[in-house]
Amino acid sequence: MSCEAPPEEEAPGGEGGERQSEGGCYLALCARPVHFEKANPVNCVFFDEANKQVFAVRSGGATGVVVKGLEDKNPISFRMEDKGEVKCIKFSLGNKILAVQRTLKNVDFLNFIPDSPQLEYTQECKTKNANILGFCWTSSTEIVFITDQGIEFYQVVLPEKRSLKLLKNQSINVNWYMYCPESSVILLSTTVLGNVLQPFYFKSGTMSKLSKFEIELPAAPKSSKLSLSERDIALAMIYGQLYVLYLRHHSRTSNSTGAEVVLYHLPREGSCKKTHILKLNRTGKFALNVVDNLVVVHHQDTETSVIFDIKLKGEFDGTTTIHQFVLPPRSIQPYQIPVAGPASVTSQSPVPCKLYSSSWIVFQPDIIISASEGYLWNLQVKLEPVVNLLPDKGRLMDFLLQRKECKMVILAVCSQMLSEPGRGSLSVTATIFDKLNHEYKKYLEAEQSYTLVVEAGQSRSNLLLKRPVRTQAVIDQSDMYTHVLSVFTEKKEAPHKFTIAVLMEYIRSLNQFQIAVQHYLYELVIKTLVQHNLFYMLHQFLQYHVLSDSKPLACLLLSLESIYPPAHQLSLDMLKRLSTANDEIVEVLLSKHQVLAALRFIRGIGGHDSISARKFLDAAKQAEDDMLFYTIFRFFEQRNQRLRGNPSFTPGEHCEEHVTFFKQVFGEQALMKPTTF
């Protein structure tokens, strides 16, 4: 079932043409559509909303049926006997059983199971004098017939036995129906006016009747005839919840012009409530899609579409939230239809597709079909153009954080926010960091809770517990460091005070959400301070513990001693507070070729009499600095003299190669002579 396809085409040059020239299309048809044979007198086209498949049925199936889906690598082709006009055709979930409706009284079935005879079998509807409006597969073996007098829920007991068993039926007058496969809910329109809707939920052989509800019509109907059309209703999952979307062409309030989309939240338990109103501010004929949790409303008169995000803040009137569209109206991005045929022919330029064509039909959540051109597309949201269409950075970030493919766009926005010419204020930057870290913290807490439960070995609850999914909205410290902050500091475009303020703002935000700050962020702060000779600020940050103690940070400070002597003592103080193993610190410094810093550190803690001379001489030699090697060699000669009364190395110290190297470079006369008293 679909909302109304956008109606008659408008001559070019109207409002749609103006909108198009403004650019920034944020909606696009997918690059690889499903191509099928166009609808014509011989070929009938059907769409199955559960499997998202298009059926092209030629001559009632006698000259072939071709089934194609967006996910299907290989189309399914078969023939079937022409037993009259096909009204409805669908595969069960998994494509094992085909169901075909040709009359108002029964549905035919055909097994597509390997090594099973392909004989048809039939199921008549049980209710006397009832006409079948259609059917829906709810699983690989369960099917629901919807008649004008109710619904009948069947199970194909054993496909090879070719028989169906009635599981449950419900009598109710039905005008039309709608099915949402993502939630396994069928919605029935009942009563004379058609505005009382009765939902049913299906799961593994059970049928549950949910609370019925009434759709508020724009005004009291003048006659007692069907007033709510299925064209004005859509059923879709938005942010994991099921909603009924009602396209109300005239607002109930007299002071409001234009149509609106009213959202009714339909929970599994409890009553259905009107929760959101989406203001369209225009009249005409519309069509609805839901893409990436956004409600997309197409308007054919202007050949534009708008999007709504019910998670964004709207105007709350006590019961419902009223939303305006997030972005200005834009057309779907122009689409070129490739020319099919032999290679010699395909050199022709592609044909532009007529967007918002009268032959378009939309299906939920994101399907657009052009039966006249033989194409099925997914509608997609493009996030890059949104960045320039939504100037409020806070609202932009709220919008982006809810989208599936958002990470790289969010990081690009952060980089853009810190760069000229569009540099944001520090308060805007702080707001963005807080929004990102709020999402980051939510994920860390969920991950921690999961780990605790798993470690506790609560096997029963483990069956229900799922590991938290890390969405693209989780921007962690390494993402920010790699893509934004390190690049920002390297560019050196901004005044250094602003650069340091931005780094400290990010650290402040992490602390606010009680997220442990990674040492590389502190290192970035220190390096930036050193680059600008802001040693007094560095000293204050360390003294007042603005930069948290860590081993890598202490090593970095030790390496700064040559340009800022107090850094040595600051580093030692930090290491003492950390109570870190001193050997480890020496290893870290030596690995960074900070040989003198390592030696000074070991002297500072009084461990220089017991350290391995060879380890230090190895590191000094690797540094390929002769004067450094000389200094280190001389230090250990002096230590040997002081401890043993002789500057020579003992065989146990394994320093023979270093003594040879020293002689080669500086000459034997440079060796220290034993001192005698």
Side-chain angles (χ1 to χ4, degrees):
M1 301 295 105
S2 77
C3 292
E4 183 160 352
E8 298 310 309
E9 300 163 15
E10 186 185 59
E15 191 185 343
E18 287 170 29
R19 296 271 187 221
Q20 186 60 44
S21 65
E22 289 173 29
C25 303
Y26 46 79
L27 291 168
L29 302 173
C30 66
R32 293 186 175 178
V34 172
H35 185 37
F36 55 90
E37 190 180 342
K38 298 173 188 178
N40 57 47
V42 179
N43 184 60
C44 293
V45 176
F46 300 89
F47 179 66
D48 170 13
E49 66 270 83
N51 288 312
K52 307 285 184 270
Q53 291 170 327
V54 176
F55 286 74
V57 181
R58 289 180 61 84
S59 312
T63 54
V65 179
V66 180
V67 187
K68 291 183 176 181
L70 280 161
E71 303 300 320
D72 302 341
K73 296 281 183 289
N74 302 309
I76 303 167
S77 301
F78 58 91
R79 290 168 190 263
M80 57 188 191
E81 201 180 325
D82 183 0
K83 294 183 178 178
E85 183 196 345
V86 173
K87 295 183 184 298
C88 188
I89 181 167
K90 295 173 187 177
F91 267 117
S92 63
L93 303 186
N95 300 336
K96 292 286 192 288
I97 307 167
L98 180 74
V100 187
Q101 184 194 348
R102 296 185 178 96
T103 73
L104 294 172
K105 300 296 177 187
N106 56 35
V107 175
D108 299 326
F109 293 87
L110 188 63
N111 293 340
F112 274 72
I113 301 161
D115 308 320
S116 169
Q118 286 198 355
L119 294 171
E120 278 196 13
Y121 48 107
T122 301
Q123 178 63 52
E124 282 191 22
C125 72
K126 298 283 185 189
T127 314
K128 265 191 174 182
N129 305 321
N131 292 327
I132 299 173
L133 301 177
F135 61 85
C136 304
W137 285 100
T138 57
S139 78
S140 57
T141 55
E142 290 160 6
I143 190 168
V144 183
F145 291 4
I146 299 97
T147 74
D148 56 0
Q149 293 180 33
I151 53 175
E152 302 175 3
F153 185 31
Y154 292 95
Q155 183 180 35
V156 182
V157 189
L158 288 167
E160 55 273 21
K161 288 276 166 59
R162 302 198 295 279
S163 66
L164 281 82
K165 171 187 170 188
L166 180 66
L167 299 175
K168 202 168 183 184
N169 65 340
Q170 175 86 39
S171 293
I172 183 171
N173 285 330
V174 181
N175 303 304
W176 48 262
Y177 75 96
M178 195 163 281
Y179 179 47
C180 175
E182 290 78 15
S183 61
S184 290
V185 168
I186 292 177
L187 194 63
L188 307 180
S189 158
T190 69
T191 69
V192 178
L193 296 175
N195 66 324
V196 175
L197 301 181
Q198 175 63 65
F200 288 89
Y201 169 61
F202 298 86
K203 189 181 180 183
S204 50
T206 62
M207 178 175 96
S208 314
K209 191 176 182 181
L210 306 183
S211 301
K212 68 179 177 182
F213 61 99
E214 188 174 332
I215 296 281
E216 291 177 359
L217 297 171
K222 293 186 175 70
S223 61
S224 57
K225 63 173 188 176
L226 190 64
S227 300
L228 183 67
S229 161
E230 64 187 294
R231 288 168 174 263
D232 294 333
I233 294 287
L235 196 56
M237 297 293 287
I238 307 172
Y239 291 116
Q241 298 295 315
L242 181 60
Y243 287 90
V244 175
L245 290 78
Y246 165 45
L247 182 56
R248 192 154 61 190
H249 291 278
H250 304 286
S251 170
R252 285 179 72 86
T253 54
S254 54
N255 61 352
S256 172
T257 57
E260 55 194 26
V261 178
V262 185
L263 268 65
Y264 291 83
H265 177 223
L266 185 53
R268 195 69 48 78
E269 290 171 7
S271 58
C272 181
K273 288 189 176 69
K274 182 170 76 169
T275 52
H276 299 273
I277 295 175
L278 317 179
K279 291 287 187 184
L280 301 179
N281 302 329
R282 49 177 59 177
T283 56
K285 293 184 178 178
F286 303 87
L288 304 174
N289 277 127
V290 174
V291 185
D292 203 1
N293 292 312
L294 296 166
V295 179
V296 181
V297 185
H298 308 290
H299 186 234
Q300 208 231 355
D301 298 356
T302 57
E303 296 188 3
T304 58
S305 304
V306 288
I307 57 175
F308 295 87
D309 186 350
I310 62 169
K311 273 267 176 93
L312 289 185
K313 205 172 176 185
E315 189 187 318
F316 188 62
D317 68 0
T319 54
T320 54
T321 306
I322 297 160
H323 299 267
Q324 303 296 335
F325 37 79
V326 179
L327 302 167
R330 289 285 184 273
S331 168
I332 293 168
Q333 184 178 313
Y335 187 87
Q336 304 288 325
I337 293 177
V339 178
S344 57
V345 183
T346 53
S347 58
Q348 296 174 29
S349 55
V351 182
C353 169
K354 175 62 189 154
L355 301 175
Y356 302 89
S357 160
S358 55
S359 73
W360 276 18
I361 307 164
V362 299
F363 291 90
Q364 297 315 317
D366 58 357
I367 303 289
I368 293 176
I369 294 179
S370 173
S372 64
E373 289 171 315
Y375 281 95
L376 177 151
W377 295 278
N378 274 124
L379 186 64
Q380 297 172 340
V381 174
K382 294 166 64 197
L383 296 182
E384 287 81 2
V386 174
V387 175
N388 298 320
L389 291 170
L390 204 51
D392 180 336
K393 287 282 189 285
R395 194 167 167 82
L396 171 65
M397 203 50 71
D398 289 340
F399 176 83
L400 291 175
L401 282 167
Q402 302 299 337
R403 310 284 73 84
K404 256 187 204 156
E405 304 290 327
C406 65
K407 178 172 274 188
M408 295 320 292
V409 182
I410 286 174
L411 292 168
V413 168
C414 291
S415 291
Q416 183 190 349
M417 181 176 72
L418 301 176
S419 308
E420 291 289 9
R423 182 174 297 142
S425 68
L426 202 57
S427 63
V428 170
T429 304
T431 303
I432 300 303
F433 287 162
D434 287 347
K435 287 179 187 293
L436 295 180
N437 288 328
H438 175 67
E439 289 294 323
Y440 182 20
K441 179 64 174 176
K442 273 199 308 191
Y443 171 73
L444 290 175
E445 283 180 340
E447 186 70 36
Q448 190 180 14
S449 302
Y450 173 82
T451 307
L452 286 172
V453 172
V454 170
E455 284 175 356
Q458 297 168 2
S459 53
R460 281 186 182 178
S461 57
N462 281 357
L463 297 172
L464 303 171
L465 190 72
K466 286 184 180 174
R467 190 179 194 121
V469 176
R470 181 172 178 150
T471 67
Q472 288 206 12
V474 178
I475 310 285
D476 65 18
Q477 296 174 65
S478 65
D479 294 325
M480 282 299 287
Y481 175 83
T482 307
H483 298 282
V484 181
L485 300 175
S486 62
V487 180
F488 167 59
T489 54
E490 277 166 27
K491 276 185 181 171
K492 299 175 186 165
E493 285 177 353
H496 63 261
K497 283 185 180 173
F498 180 73
T499 303
I500 292 156
V502 166
L503 296 176
M504 295 314 297
E505 202 53 64
Y506 185 62
I507 289 168
R508 187 264 328 145
S509 179
L510 290 168
N511 285 327
Q512 185 177 311
F513 287 96
Q514 297 174 315
I515 300 168
V517 182
Q518 295 297 320
H519 65 84
Y520 47 76
L521 291 171
Y522 290 136
E523 285 180 24
L524 195 57
V525 173
I526 291 173
K527 283 173 184 170
T528 309
L529 291 168
V530 169
Q531 274 170 4
H532 296 97
N533 295 319
L534 297 170
F535 296 111
Y536 69 94
M537 198 182 278
L538 170 60
H539 207 113
Q540 284 181 319
F541 281 175
L542 291 163
Q543 213 168 1
Y544 295 108
H545 305 295
V546 175
L547 306 176
S548 298
D549 296 346
S550 75
K551 210 184 323 173
L553 213 57
C555 293
L556 178 62
L557 287 171
L558 276 174
S559 70
L560 295 174
E561 187 188 0
S562 57
I563 51 171
Y564 184 55
H568 179 71
Q569 192 54 47
L570 288 166
S571 159
L572 291 182
D573 293 344
M574 186 180 285
L575 290 164
K576 281 171 190 164
R577 288 195 297 272
L578 286 166
S579 309
T580 315
N582 297 326
D583 292 348
E584 242 181 280
I585 296 155
V586 170
E587 292 292 345
V588 170
L589 286 168
L590 290 177
S591 70
K592 291 187 171 185
H593 306 299
Q594 301 284 338
V595 188
L596 280 176
L599 202 51
R600 284 194 198 99
F601 167 70
I602 213 77
R603 281 183 72 179
I605 58 165
H608 54 294
D609 285 354
S610 56
I611 55 171
S612 159
R614 183 181 172 177
K615 183 186 285 185
F616 277 78
L617 289 167
D618 283 347
K621 193 175 174 187
Q622 281 169 9
E624 296 180 351
D625 180 341
D626 289 348
M627 286 319 295
L628 173 67
F629 185 81
Y630 182 91
T631 307
I632 300 297
F633 192 89
R634 182 65 81 224
F635 170 83
F636 284 107
E637 280 188 319
Q638 288 168 348
R639 182 187 77 165
N640 294 343
Q641 174 69 38
R642 183 167 46 82
L643 294 178
R644 296 197 299 269
N646 190 315
S648 304
F649 294 92
T650 63
E653 290 179 283
H654 306 293
C655 292
E656 293 81 6
E657 66 172 288
H658 295 302
V659 174
T660 307
F661 178 73
F662 186 88
K663 286 178 189 175
Q664 282 171 358
V665 178
F666 303 105
E668 195 161 344
Q669 72 282 1
L671 287 170
M672 192 174 160
K673 304 292 183 287
T675 308
T676 52
F677 295 99

